[in-house]
């Protein structure tokens, strides 16, 4: 019964809501979330006057902010937390799946979704800063969509509320989503280590859970761990990609030509494959960068900085995730001769690709990289969960600890057995979060846009 409900909600959110016919009996299926997020990205891109292009230098400069008090986070630390959750398994196997299903052209639409999503990420992160609250447990601040949704509900109803229904639904959706993702994480790591080293999933899972317990059960060790893990994992993956590109430089122009040709190719339209190219790229981009889902604002609220600067940092995070890390995986995939990867999918395909470039070391490298990406995702989602648990149950250690225990149990169970419904559960959670977040994002966006205008006026008058 529960599985049937989850699958039904998944189909409603991510399945084709309607189809745009292309002739020859083919068409482009449009899911509800794509219908919501793409227009949202276009709207905020226009309202911010193409912020990702105009203010890209400001995004870099915004990383220099410092924290002022114990427990607070600097802007770059919030970037590490949000990047940890964005840069996960989706950047590896997810991109491989998108290219496998939609061809090289899917990469272009993945880039476009990131370009549009950056402005959405700016708005929701700025709002999280504007509505943040003191965190009496961990120190510093906490907040996110549950908090600005609650404030908006009080404004509309013109009275103080104990809780807001939409804010509660958002917080619950997040906790459900992150519990499901915990299982996916351990299963992915256990499978990768079994393939690469022949290590039993039980051994890998026990080690993973023990390390996680040591980190997450300490007060603020999560952020300190991410300060180390995120730069190392992203940097190493980026350097290896640059090495691969440099050693196959003559093939790079052909890869870009193929990406653009297949993104707009008449051959794909005629064959009815254009819908697969478009939607696989868009879905992967939206799911990977999380812009609009309300996840990253849970980290953005913890920063001690100007709301605009925090928003700019989170917009930069979308670029790092999709334009840099996802593109790294795409280039690795597309520089390999197609005949070597025929019939392969998922982790098998990715490990085959890496072995083509680097032999057995490539297989080991991708397994270790996946482990780091996935582990950092687990730490990141537990940081996100702090504010949602606090909103639902109050600022009490017992509830924070109980959710950590729940997530660790899910981590253990997922490493021992794969559940297809777990993937759907994660997708349902993030989908519901997005719907509840967008309900309030539009009416509140004027505050973020006014803050942006004031920021630019001050910069002009200096």
């Amino acid at each position: 019964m529960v599985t049937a409900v989850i699958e039904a909600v998944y189909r409603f959110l991510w399945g084709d809501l309607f189809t745009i016919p292309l002739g020859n009996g083919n068409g482009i299926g449009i899911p509800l979330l794509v219908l919501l997020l793409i227009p949202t990205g276009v709207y905020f891109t226009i309202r911010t006057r193409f912020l990702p292009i105009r203010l890209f230098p400001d995004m870099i400069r915004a990383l220099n902010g410092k924290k002022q008090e114990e427990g607070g986070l600097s802007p770059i630390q919030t970037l590490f937390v949000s990047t940890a959750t964005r840069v996960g398994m989706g950047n590896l196997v997810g991109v491989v799946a998108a290219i496998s299903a939609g061809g090289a052209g899917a990469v272009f639409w993945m880039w476009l979704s990131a370009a549009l999503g950056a402005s959405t990420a700016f708005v929701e992160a700025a709002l999280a800063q504007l509505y943040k609250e003191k965190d009496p447990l961990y120190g510093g601040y906490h907040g996110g969509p549950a908090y600005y949704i609650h404030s908006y509900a009080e404004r509309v109803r013109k009275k103080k509320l104990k809780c807001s229904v939409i804010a509660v639904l958002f917080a619950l959706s997040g906790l459900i989503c992150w519990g499901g993702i915990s299982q996916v994480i351990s299963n992915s790591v256990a499978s990768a280590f079994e393939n690469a080293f022949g290590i039993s999933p039980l051994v890998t899972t026990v080690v993973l859970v023990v390390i996680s317990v040591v980190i997450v059960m300490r007060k603020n060790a999560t952020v300190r761990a991410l300060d180390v893990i995120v730069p190392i994992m992203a940097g190493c993956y980026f350097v290896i990609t640059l090495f691969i590109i440099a050693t196959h430089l003559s093939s790079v122009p052909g890869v870009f030509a193929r990406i653009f040709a297949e993104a707009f190719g008449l051959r794909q339209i005629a064959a009815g494959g254009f819908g697969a190219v478009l939607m696989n790229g868009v879905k992967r981009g939206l799911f990977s960068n999380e812009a609009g889902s309300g996840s990253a604002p849970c980290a953005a609220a913890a920063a001690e900085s100007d709301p605009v600067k925090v928003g700019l940092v989170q917009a930069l995070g979308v670029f790092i995730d999709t334009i840099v890390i996802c593109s790294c995986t795409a280039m690795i995939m597309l520089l390999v001769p197609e005949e070597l990867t025929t019939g392969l999918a998922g982790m098998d395909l990715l490990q085959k690709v890496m072995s083509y470039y680097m032999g057995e070391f490539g297989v080991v490298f991708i397994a270790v990289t996946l482990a780091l990406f996935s582990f950092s995702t687990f730490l990141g989602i537990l940081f996100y969960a702090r504010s949602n648990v606090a909103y639902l149950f109050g600022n009490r250690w017992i509830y924070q600890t109980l959710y950590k225990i729940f997530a660790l149990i899910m981590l253990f169970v997922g490493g021992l057995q794969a559940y297809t419904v777990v993937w759907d559960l994660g997708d349902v959670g993030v989908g519901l979060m997005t719907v509840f977040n967008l309900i309030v994002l539009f009416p509140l966006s004027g505050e973020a846009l006014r803050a942006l205008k004031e920021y630019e006026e001050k910069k002009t008058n200096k």
Side-chain angles (χ1 to χ4, degrees):
M1 177 64 180
V2 174
T3 301
V5 172
I6 292 172
E7 290 177 349
V9 177
Y10 173 84
R11 287 193 299 271
F12 174 71
L13 294 169
W14 292 101
D16 294 342
L17 189 63
F18 63 91
T19 301
I20 300 174
L22 294 176
N24 299 325
N26 300 305
I28 304 175
I30 307 294
L32 174 64
L33 285 172
V34 172
L35 186 65
L36 292 174
L37 286 169
I38 291 298
T40 298
V42 172
Y43 174 77
F44 287 134
T45 299
I46 294 172
R47 289 295 309 275
T48 60
R49 295 183 295 127
F50 297 87
L51 173 146
I53 299 172
R54 290 191 308 109
L55 298 179
F56 191 82
D58 293 65
M59 294 181 191
I60 304 299
R61 286 193 291 269
L63 295 174
N64 294 327
K66 307 293 183 182
K67 66 178 183 179
Q68 280 80 46
E69 61 182 82
E70 184 65 27
L73 300 187
S74 66
I76 195 169
Q77 284 180 309
T78 66
L79 178 66
F80 287 156
V81 173
S82 60
T83 299
T85 57
R86 289 187 180 116
V87 180
M89 189 179 178
N91 299 81
L92 298 177
V93 179
V95 175
V96 172
I99 294 174
S100 299
V107 177
F108 171 83
W109 298 106
M110 185 176 68
W111 291 338
L112 181 62
S113 69
L116 296 175
S119 296
T120 305
F122 165 82
V123 171
E124 59 182 0
L127 287 175
Q129 265 293 298
L130 290 168
Y131 288 91
K132 67 185 180 184
E133 296 182 2
K134 280 282 189 179
D135 187 339
L137 295 181
Y138 293 94
Y141 298 89
H142 63 195
Y147 291 80
Y148 60 68
I149 290 171
H150 180 94
S151 294
Y152 179 73
E154 288 186 332
R155 188 183 310 172
V156 170
R157 298 183 64 179
K158 298 179 180 179
K159 65 177 183 179
K160 283 287 184 182
L161 299 173
K162 185 176 180 180
C163 63
S164 159
V165 173
I166 297 178
V168 167
L169 291 174
F170 173 87
L172 286 174
S173 298
L175 297 181
I176 291 169
C177 169
W178 299 323
I181 290 174
S182 297
Q183 287 191 306
V184 174
I185 287 167
S186 55
N187 186 262
S188 303
V189 175
S191 299
F193 271 61
E194 186 176 26
N195 291 339
F197 308 109
I199 299 175
S200 164
L202 177 61
V203 174
T204 301
T205 303
V206 169
V207 172
L208 182 63
V209 171
V210 169
I211 294 173
S212 299
V213 169
V214 171
I215 293 176
V216 304
M217 286 304 181
R218 297 174 63 191
K219 185 176 179 181
N220 277 319
T222 296
V223 175
R224 290 194 292 272
L226 292 177
D227 285 347
V228 175
I229 295 173
V230 172
I232 290 175
M233 72 173 186
C236 289
Y237 191 57
F238 186 57
V239 168
I240 289 291
T241 304
L242 289 181
F243 170 76
I244 291 172
I245 292 172
T247 54
H248 296 77
L249 205 56
S250 61
S251 302
V252 171
V255 168
F256 278 100
R258 182 181 165 196
I259 288 172
F260 286 100
E262 292 190 18
F264 299 99
L266 294 175
R267 178 174 62 83
Q268 283 74 26
I269 294 175
F274 179 71
V277 173
L278 173 64
M279 295 318 302
N280 275 284
V282 170
K283 284 180 183 178
R284 172 46 42 207
L286 293 176
F287 191 78
S288 179
N289 63 56
E290 297 183 350
S293 72
S295 293
C298 297
E304 296 177 81
S305 184
D306 176 82
V308 172
K309 291 182 179 179
V310 174
L312 291 173
V313 167
Q314 292 305 318
L316 179 64
V318 172
F319 276 92
I320 292 173
D321 169 78
T322 307
I323 304 298
V324 179
I325 305 298
C326 286
S327 295
C328 285
T329 305
M331 292 302 293
I332 289 172
M333 280 285 301
L334 297 174
L335 285 169
V336 173
E338 290 185 64
E339 60 269 17
L340 294 181
T341 58
T342 303
L344 297 176
M347 183 54 66
D348 292 336
L349 174 56
L350 191 55
Q351 289 181 322
K352 176 68 174 179
V353 166
M354 291 304 294
S355 68
Y356 167 79
Y357 295 119
M358 310 174 74
E360 284 302 311
F361 173 77
V363 177
V364 172
F365 172 78
I366 208 66
V368 173
T369 300
L370 176 63
L372 285 173
F373 278 18
S374 299
F375 184 61
S376 68
T377 297
F378 181 71
L379 298 182
I381 61 179
L382 282 182
F383 186 91
Y384 287 171
R386 288 182 186 179
S387 59
N388 285 10
V389 170
Y391 179 78
L392 290 172
F393 305 108
N395 293 297
R396 297 176 63 185
W397 281 115
I398 181 64
Y399 295 111
Q400 295 287 342
T401 303
L402 285 174
Y403 187 78
K404 289 177 181 179
I405 293 171
F406 166 74
L408 288 165
I409 292 172
M410 294 298 99
L411 192 70
F412 180 78
V413 172
L416 302 182
Q417 187 172 352
Y419 295 98
T420 303
V421 71
V422 170
W423 289 85
D424 291 346
L425 184 62
D427 289 343
V428 165
V430 76
L432 290 174
M433 288 167 65
T434 303
V435 172
F436 299 134
N437 185 39
L438 292 183
I439 289 173
V440 175
L441 203 59
F442 278 93
L444 281 180
S445 62
E447 297 179 32
L449 296 172
R450 279 193 297 275
L452 176 61
K453 183 179 179 181
E454 291 171 5
Y455 167 84
E456 294 194 81
E457 288 174 349
K458 288 179 183 177
K459 189 174 71 167
T460 303
N461 294 331
K462 280 184 179 181

